[in-house]
């Protein structure tokens, strides 16, 4: 077997980092809501695609794709808070939240199909055409934006949870909500805040999906497996975890594709997951 | 004698009106409806194409009812959503037969769902006409009738027509890369392409397979760039070809020629980088296909309905054309057999060809497939329009394979 060239290796490495950043961005909200609120929010993927379709729609109406975040982020924040309020109102357990949010996913998918039909939609934007050349390697702007947003949001979420009073209170809620409440922590308000943030993260991930991919409602489910793997590998409730794990998965998949048969790539992410689960069983 | 003239004219007018009314009454279908049952992927991952088949079916049933229906009876299409799931398709076809008591069946969309429906059809001895079954070797039921124009050996016929087109071009390729999804109905055809390329002396510089659902085409694009093939055979399904083109463009690379087996035609047509892409087809909106007035009327209606349904691309091409042809097959068989009895219809189809808008369909081979020839042609995206470029007799006026 001939060794791949350095350019091929470098380009594959970049490709892995970029797709990994998207896994991380998609996994960020999922990991926080699962780890801190005990809600396994499958609807997170549907929200990301709803965000992508809204970006497509608003950009089609003449808005700059990045500017659509000014509309999408607050709307999704409110939507996320509302979803959490409903789940809390009916005391939905962690396991039941999986089922309820699966139902919500189906509803959002149907809504997307009703509005935009099942046909493929592709957002045309000036960003899509921009790429930079670094040595013999190419970096596309949409992917660079995805990496930047994933890094910025993950670091911001980490800093918020570690260094602010509300963040520390949020971690206390994740540890033991009744005790946190006994110490005067506003459990309800902070949970709504975090749910809103998670949904807003899904909206941002939606923008990145719209920038790089052709959209179809059925693709909501295509990301489930690998993003779940990234979330589990990264550790539930750890804001940096999904990004790091996503990049590890992305890079290992990309290098597998560069060195061997591309069809082996999915084996890598799930083999990694099994190895981590065996080596660190208490992690999830 | 103006008064007499007036009376004669009035009587003649009344007679004419009566005759017209009687003709209309005779032409309008009457009696209990002929119920045709089918499922389509109206939701789920295959819904984009499922919608195409729904629009076509609605057009055809309306056209039938505007004429004489089937055997003078109105036609009712009982359509259910199989959600792109073969297991659900099986259940729904059972329901169509046992609960809805349909008279006839039309196939669903895509190989796995058709295979499910075929099992049910076999159990109840029903004829199943279908349009998008990609793996003919799995069709072992004697009363299934493919109307999609595919041969029994598409792994032989499709590569042949593609490599014939390339060989006839001004600059035939010398090296080839075969990249393919492992999805069953495209994978075996791609393996056929490898064999065909080898037989014709083309040097294979890369053979890469990915699992269906792959999201990252960056490394595959980088490997293609490294391999520098003259021609890339993309055994892709739906959007996979677009994802590969996107990935290649991101690293500033496009192969001189690239063929896509079963692409999503609208997105590939509009995709930056999709210029000069090649694909397989049975029908495009230009002569000689549009020499047929039935096709012209269908194109008009499809444009109208497609726009109303919000389709981004309303042109008639492979999927919509084979869908229409399958309905033409059903109508011809019922009319020819003068019966809605499944055995009579099957016997008629085995003995008679049907001239559909995609060409002459026939079923006189093993398990109703023809080996060694099909209705597939090669088309190219030229100036934002799909045009057939091979075989010559089906090529759009003045169209030839554009090579860089």
């Amino acid at each position: 077997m001939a060794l791949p060239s350095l350019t091929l290796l470098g380009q594959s490495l970049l490709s892995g980092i970029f797709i990994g950043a998207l896994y991380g961005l998609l996994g960020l909200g999922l990991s926080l809501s699962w780890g801190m609120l005990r809600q396994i929010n499958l609807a997170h993927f549907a929200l990301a695609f709803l965000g992508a379709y809204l970006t497509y729609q608003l950009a089609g109406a003449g808005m700059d794709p990045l500017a659509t975040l000014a509309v999408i982020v607050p709307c999704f924040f409110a939507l996320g808070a509302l979803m959490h309020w409903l789940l809390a109102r009916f005391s939905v357990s962690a396991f039941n939240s999986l089922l309820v949010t699966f139902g919500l996913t189906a509803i959002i998918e149907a809504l997307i199909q009703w509005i935009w039909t099942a046909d493929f939609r592709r957002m045309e934007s000036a960003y899509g055409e921009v790429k930079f050349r670094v040595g013999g390697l190419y970096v596309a702007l949409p992917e660079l934006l995805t990496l930047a947003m994933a890094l910025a949001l993950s670091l911001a979420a980490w800093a918020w949870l570690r260094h602010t009073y509300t963040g520390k209170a949020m971690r206390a809620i994740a540890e033991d909500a009744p005790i946190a409440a006994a110490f005067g922590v506003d459990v309800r308000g902070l949970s709504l805040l975090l749910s809103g943030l998670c949904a807003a993260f899904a909206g941002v991930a939606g923008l990145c999906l719209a920038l790089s991919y052709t959209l179809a409602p059925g693709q909501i489910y295509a990301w489930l497996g690998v993003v779940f793997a990234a979330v589990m590998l990264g550790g539930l409730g750890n804001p940096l975890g999904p990004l790091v794990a996503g990049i590890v998965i992305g890079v290992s998949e990309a290098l597998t594709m560069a060195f061997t048969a591309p069809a082996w790539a999915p084996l890598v992410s799930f083999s990694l997951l099994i190895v981590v689960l065996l080596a660190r069983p208490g992690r999830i | 004698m103006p008064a007499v003239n007036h009376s004669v004219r009035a009587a003649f007018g009344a007679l004419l009106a009566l005759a017209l009314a009687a003709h209309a009454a005779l032409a309008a279908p009457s009696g209990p409806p002929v119920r045709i049952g089918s499922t389509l992927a109206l939701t789920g991952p295959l819904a984009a194409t499922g919608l195409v088949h729904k629009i076509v079916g609605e057009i055809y049933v309306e056209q039938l009812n505007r004429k004489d229906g089937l055997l003078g009876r109105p036609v009712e299409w009982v359509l259910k959503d199989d959600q792109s799931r073969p297991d659900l398709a099986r259940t729904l076809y059972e329901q169509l037969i046992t609960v809805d008591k349909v008279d006839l069946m039309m196939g669903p969309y895509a190989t796995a769902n058709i295979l499910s429906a075929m099992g049910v059809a076999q159990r109840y001895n029903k004829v199943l006409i279908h349009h998008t079954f990609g793996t003919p070797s799995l069709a072992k039921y004697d009363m299934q009738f493919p109307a999609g124009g595919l041969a029994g050996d598409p792994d032989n016929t499709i590569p042949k027509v593609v490599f014939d087109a390339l060989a006839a071009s001004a600059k035939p390729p010398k090296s080839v890369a075969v990249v393919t999804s492992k999805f069953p109905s495209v994978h075996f055809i791609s393996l056929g392409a490898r064999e065909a390329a080898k037989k014709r002396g083309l040097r294979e510089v890369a053979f890469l397979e990915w699992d269906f659902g792959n999201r990252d085409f960056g490394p595959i694009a980088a490997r293609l760039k490294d391999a520098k093939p003259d021609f890339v055979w993309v055994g892709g399904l739906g959007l996979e070809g677009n994802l590969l083109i996107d990935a290649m463009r991101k690293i500033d690379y496009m192969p001189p020629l690239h063929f896509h087996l079963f692409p999503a035609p609208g997105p590939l047509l509009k995709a930056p980088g999709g210029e000069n892409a090649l694909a397989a087809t049975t029908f495009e909106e230009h002569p000689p296909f549009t020499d047929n007035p039935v096709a012209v009327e269908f194109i008009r209606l499809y444009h109208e309905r497609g726009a109303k349904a919000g389709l981004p691309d309303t042109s008639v091409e492979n999927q919509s054309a084979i869908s229409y042809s399958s309905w033409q097959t059903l109508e011809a068989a019922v009319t020819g057999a003068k019966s809605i009895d499944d055995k009579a219809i099957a016997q008629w189809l085995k003995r008679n060809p049907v001239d559909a808008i995609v060409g002459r369909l026939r079923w006189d081979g093993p398990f109703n497939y023809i080996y060694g020839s099909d209705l597939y042609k090669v088309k190219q995206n030229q100036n934002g329009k799909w045009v057939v470029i091979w075989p010559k007799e089906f090529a759009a006026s003045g169209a030839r394979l554009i090579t860089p």
Side-chain angles (χ1 to χ4, degrees):
Chain A
M1 186 180 69
L3 279 177
S5 69
L6 278 179
T7 314
L8 166 59
L9 212 59
Q11 199 68 60
S12 301
L13 201 66
L14 276 178
S15 181
I17 292 170
F18 291 138
I19 191 90
L22 187 54
Y23 297 159
L25 190 52
L26 278 164
L28 177 60
L30 185 68
S31 174
L32 292 180
S33 72
W34 191 348
M36 310 200 91
L37 300 172
R38 306 285 182 265
Q39 284 174 0
I40 312 170
N41 186 9
L42 274 180
H44 191 76
F45 298 91
L47 283 179
F49 270 82
L50 183 62
Y53 274 93
L54 285 172
T55 309
Y56 160 82
Q57 190 69 38
L58 293 170
M63 230 172 149
D64 183 278
L66 290 182
T68 62
L69 288 178
V71 179
I72 289 169
V73 166
C75 290
F76 273 51
F77 181 89
L79 192 61
L82 177 71
M83 271 169 60
H84 178 76
W85 180 80
L86 280 170
L87 292 174
R89 174 76 183 74
F90 294 101
S91 307
V92 178
S93 67
F95 179 69
N96 286 345
S97 70
L98 190 72
L99 300 176
V100 172
T101 54
F102 180 72
L104 272 174
T105 305
I107 291 169
I108 295 172
E109 185 192 359
L111 181 77
I112 290 172
Q113 188 167 326
W114 181 55
I115 298 172
W116 289 283
T117 79
D119 218 326
F120 304 110
R121 305 278 163 172
R122 177 73 197 230
M123 184 176 77
E124 304 296 336
S125 85
Y127 297 106
E129 295 303 307
V130 183
K131 55 178 173 272
F132 308 104
R133 188 174 174 173
V134 185
L137 306 179
Y138 289 85
V139 179
L141 182 59
E143 297 182 334
L144 203 58
L145 284 172
T146 303
L147 178 64
M149 285 189 209
L151 268 173
L153 290 180
S154 301
L155 284 171
W158 175 81
W160 174 61
L161 288 170
R162 184 155 287 261
H163 297 298
T164 67
Y165 171 76
T166 50
K168 286 173 186 168
M170 197 62 244
R171 282 161 57 203
I173 293 170
E175 283 295 320
D176 194 326
I179 295 290
F183 277 87
V185 172
D186 178 7
V187 174
R188 200 162 163 261
L190 282 176
S191 300
L192 287 173
L193 173 71
L194 186 66
S195 298
L197 282 176
C198 291
F201 293 156
V204 178
L207 162 74
C208 298
L209 283 169
L211 279 173
S212 295
Y213 290 90
T214 300
L215 306 171
Q219 285 173 353
I220 289 171
Y221 305 98
W223 297 84
L224 238 74
V226 71
V227 173
F228 261 95
V231 166
M232 289 176 170
L233 276 175
L236 301 179
N238 175 0
L240 293 178
L243 180 61
V244 173
I247 289 177
V248 167
I249 292 173
V251 167
S252 52
E253 283 183 344
L255 292 182
T256 309
M257 287 200 239
F259 277 108
T260 63
W264 291 2
L267 290 178
V268 174
S269 51
F270 292 102
S271 304
L272 265 175
L273 180 65
I274 291 168
V275 169
V276 170
L277 287 176
L278 289 174
R280 303 179 66 187
R283 192 64 193 270
I284 59 166
Chain B
M1 308 269 279
V4 174
N5 270 346
H6 182 77
S7 306
V8 168
R9 248 183 273 143
F12 184 73
L15 270 174
L16 190 67
L18 258 175
L20 282 173
H23 175 76
L26 278 176
S30 59
V34 174
R35 289 162 66 81
I36 302 170
S38 65
T39 77
L40 282 174
L42 300 178
T43 53
L46 305 175
T49 317
L51 180 60
V52 169
H53 292 281
K54 179 175 182 273
I55 293 170
V56 174
E58 286 168 352
I59 289 172
Y60 205 91
V61 171
E62 275 179 37
Q63 283 185 323
L64 272 176
N65 283 331
R66 229 178 283 129
K67 296 186 294 182
D68 200 19
L70 280 177
L71 306 176
R73 290 165 60 185
V75 176
E76 185 188 337
W77 187 24
V78 185
L79 174 65
K80 295 175 188 258
D81 177 14
D82 61 36
Q83 298 174 19
S84 311
R85 287 168 44 200
D87 56 323
L88 186 58
R90 183 180 301 114
T91 308
L92 292 177
Y93 272 91
E94 285 268 2
Q95 274 181 18
L96 284 166
I97 295 169
T98 57
V99 181
D100 297 293
K101 311 270 184 214
V102 296
D103 301 295
L104 301 166
M105 286 182 8
M106 176 62 80
Y109 167 60
T111 304
N113 291 23
I114 294 171
L115 201 57
S116 289
M118 207 179 286
V120 180
Q122 187 161 16
R123 202 153 51 245
Y124 292 93
N125 293 315
K126 301 291 289 181
V127 161
L128 186 75
I129 294 169
H130 54 86
H131 34 60
T132 41
F133 193 67
T135 320
S137 61
L138 296 177
K140 300 293 182 200
Y141 174 45
D142 204 34
M143 295 216 289
Q144 60 80 30
F145 293 90
L150 210 61
D153 53 346
D155 49 330
N156 167 36
T157 55
I158 293 186
K160 181 181 180 302
V161 73
V162 173
F163 285 108
D164 280 351
L166 295 172
S169 72
K171 202 176 162 190
K174 292 188 170 64
S175 62
V176 60
V178 176
V179 294
T180 183
S181 164
K182 289 180 86 174
F183 194 82
S185 51
V186 296
H187 188 251
F188 79 104
I189 301 177
S190 294
L191 295 184
R194 282 188 90 184
E195 286 303 310
K198 202 168 144 188
K199 276 183 196 154
R200 288 166 190 249
L202 271 80
R203 188 166 50 90
E204 185 182 276
V205 292
F207 172 65
L208 303 171
E209 298 161 294
W210 64 82
D211 260 344
F212 184 64
N214 181 43
R215 291 160 300 272
D216 185 12
F217 282 83
I220 296 172
R223 284 181 76 166
L224 285 174
K225 189 178 183 180
D226 241 25
K228 297 186 189 72
D230 295 335
F231 169 64
V232 179
W233 170 288
V234 184
L237 206 61
L239 280 180
E240 288 176 329
N242 286 62
L243 289 169
L244 181 61
I245 287 176
D246 283 347
M248 291 192 293
R249 287 187 74 243
K250 279 176 188 165
I251 57 171
D252 208 28
Y253 168 71
M254 279 308 290
L257 284 165
H258 46 115
F259 168 81
H260 300 260
L261 188 52
F262 297 130
L268 184 55
L269 192 65
K270 289 172 187 159
E275 306 85 18
N276 301 339
L278 299 163
T281 189
T282 54
F283 185 97
E284 295 301 322
E285 285 188 6
H286 60 69
F289 305 99
T290 50
D291 293 342
N292 177 351
V294 175
V296 173
E297 175 63 2
F298 169 53
I299 290 168
R300 186 186 70 76
L301 287 169
Y302 188 80
H303 285 193
E304 197 181 291
R305 300 298 169 83
K308 210 183 264 180
L311 291 185
D313 180 45
T314 59
S315 47
V316 171
E317 51 75 58
N318 193 41
Q319 285 290 338
S320 41
I322 57 179
S323 192
Y324 194 86
S325 297
S326 63
W327 284 94
Q328 286 184 298
T329 302
L330 182 72
E331 183 191 1
V334 170
T335 310
K338 297 186 180 66
S339 168
I340 54 168
D341 175 72
D342 287 279
K343 282 195 177 126
I345 290 170
Q347 275 169 11
W348 189 89
L349 281 171
K350 280 170 186 287
R351 288 186 196 134
N352 299 280
V354 170
D355 287 316
I357 61 168
V358 294
R360 174 161 284 203
L361 294 163
R362 57 193 179 91
W363 300 273
D364 48 2
F367 289 106
N368 309 328
Y369 273 99
I370 305 301
Y371 283 74
S373 77
D374 64 12
L375 298 180
Y376 273 82
K377 288 101 189 161
V378 181
K379 65 179 174 181
Q380 189 171 36
N381 177 1
Q382 296 187 355
N383 304 315
K385 205 173 180 312
W386 285 117
V387 290
V388 171
I389 49 102
W390 189 265
K392 267 183 196 167
E393 60 271 30
F394 294 98
S397 172
R400 311 170 125 232
L401 174 65
I402 296 176
T403 49

